[in-house]
Amino acid sequence: MVIDTADSQVTTSADELAEALRLPVWNTLSERADHLRRALPPRPENVAGRYQWWRLLDAEQQRQAELLDRIDALCGHLAGRPALGYDPHQLVPDSALYEAQGFNLQLSALIARCLAQRDLARRAL
């Protein structure tokens, strides 16, 4: 992933930076989701099977399953399928940025910059 935002003369808005981060964040979240899926027992498709599956998970596996559901929803949102609880007009929710932090040094630095710019913009309102 290469996103060149090192030029301090070029000002990039938080929304522009978030849009540039959309694909790298989606890639990071997809990798996390795949890792979680492999760590969990296979989840049945039907509701009754899923309920039984959930009851058989230990506390840590349940936490991982909840995180997987959250990350899957965020991946869908980033792919253009708005997730419940997220502003459909915000293409890259803060939650997606937070979930993608810490897995790639360059991406994490850009995410921190984007979140700081968003925070400044919110304070200005």
Side-chain angles (χ1 to χ4, degrees):
M1 175 197 74
V2 176
I3 301 173
D4 186 14
T5 58
D7 187 354
S8 61
Q9 300 299 319
V10 177
T11 58
T12 307
S13 76
D15 291 337
E16 292 169 333
L17 184 53
E19 183 58 34
L21 291 173
R22 190 173 180 185
L23 183 59
V25 166
W26 184 88
N27 287 336
T28 299
L29 294 182
S30 292
E31 287 177 23
R32 286 190 69 196
D34 289 343
H35 176 74
L36 289 167
R37 268 188 210 88
R38 286 190 301 273
L40 292 168
R43 181 169 64 175
E45 291 298 319
N46 64 22
V47 174
R50 228 175 297 154
Y51 176 73
Q52 187 62 27
W53 171 83
W54 177 261
R55 292 186 50 143
L56 294 173
L57 298 178
D58 63 32
E60 177 60 21
Q61 288 174 322
Q62 288 177 351
R63 188 193 69 74
Q64 290 175 344
E66 289 175 8
L67 180 58
L68 176 59
D69 285 344
R70 175 181 166 85
I71 290 174
D72 278 342
L74 288 169
C75 283
H77 191 92
L78 292 170
R81 295 179 308 275
L84 290 174
Y86 298 100
D87 180 357
H89 297 95
Q90 189 176 33
L91 300 177
V92 183
D94 289 357
S95 298
L97 296 173
Y98 286 121
E99 289 294 345
Q101 272 188 315
F103 295 92
N104 173 304
L105 191 58
Q106 180 187 14
L107 179 60
S108 294
L110 293 171
I111 288 171
R113 180 176 158 195
C114 181
L115 289 169
Q117 288 177 337
R118 281 185 173 180
D119 189 44
L120 284 174
R122 286 185 190 115
R123 290 181 189 177
L125 294 178

